[in-house]
Amino acid sequence: MDHWRYLLVLLACLALTAPLEFLGPGVYRRPRLLLGALLPTVTVFVVWDLLASSAGVWDFNPRYLLGVFLPDGIPLEELLFFFVVPLCGLLTYVAVESLLDLGRRRAGRNASKGLRR
């Protein structure tokens, strides 16, 4: 079961942040913006990972991997990590931004109601 651990953590991250899509304008509903945010991040971190692992700075414990590797030796789970973690962060950011905006609008309405009395 250990070889599923990395993948299961990524799936848990997606499952926990999925409901945030419904707070505000969402992330999945804007695929061009999503890809525009993810692709530079994924690219930078994949290059960084390739350089560090080829230099022996770190490696990947096969105990926690499925055993599927990309041609350059990066485990599938590692590539998925570079998509999932920024996506979860983006979902969280957009949801918090939407909730704060809603709070500001409500506070503004309450303030304007107080001025009219």
Side-chain angles (χ1 to χ4, degrees):
M1 188 68 177
D2 279 346
H3 63 280
W4 287 96
R5 190 174 297 178
Y6 197 168
L7 194 60
L8 290 173
V9 168
L10 295 176
L11 289 172
C13 290
L14 287 173
L16 290 171
T17 58
L20 299 177
E21 174 68 10
F22 302 106
L23 297 175
V27 171
Y28 296 118
R29 291 174 273 170
R30 299 183 291 172
R32 285 183 39 208
L33 289 173
L34 174 60
L35 286 176
L38 287 181
L39 289 181
T41 305
V42 170
T43 302
V44 167
F45 283 107
V46 165
V47 169
W48 178 1
D49 219 33
L50 285 170
L51 292 171
S53 60
S54 67
V57 175
W58 63 68
D59 60 0
F60 305 98
N61 188 336
R63 177 180 176 188
Y64 302 110
L65 303 173
L66 292 176
V68 178
F69 292 87
L70 301 176
D72 291 324
I74 293 179
L76 174 63
E77 294 90 343
E78 185 76 355
L79 178 65
L80 292 174
F81 175 87
F82 295 137
F83 281 97
V84 169
V85 171
L87 173 60
C88 293
L90 192 56
L91 281 162
T92 303
Y93 177 81
V94 169
V96 169
E97 185 179 59
S98 296
L99 290 173
L100 290 174
D101 189 46
L102 178 65
R104 284 190 289 269
R105 284 195 311 254
R106 283 187 178 171
R109 276 195 304 247
N110 289 342
S112 66
K113 284 180 185 177
L115 292 175
R116 285 188 229 157
R117 289 184 179 175

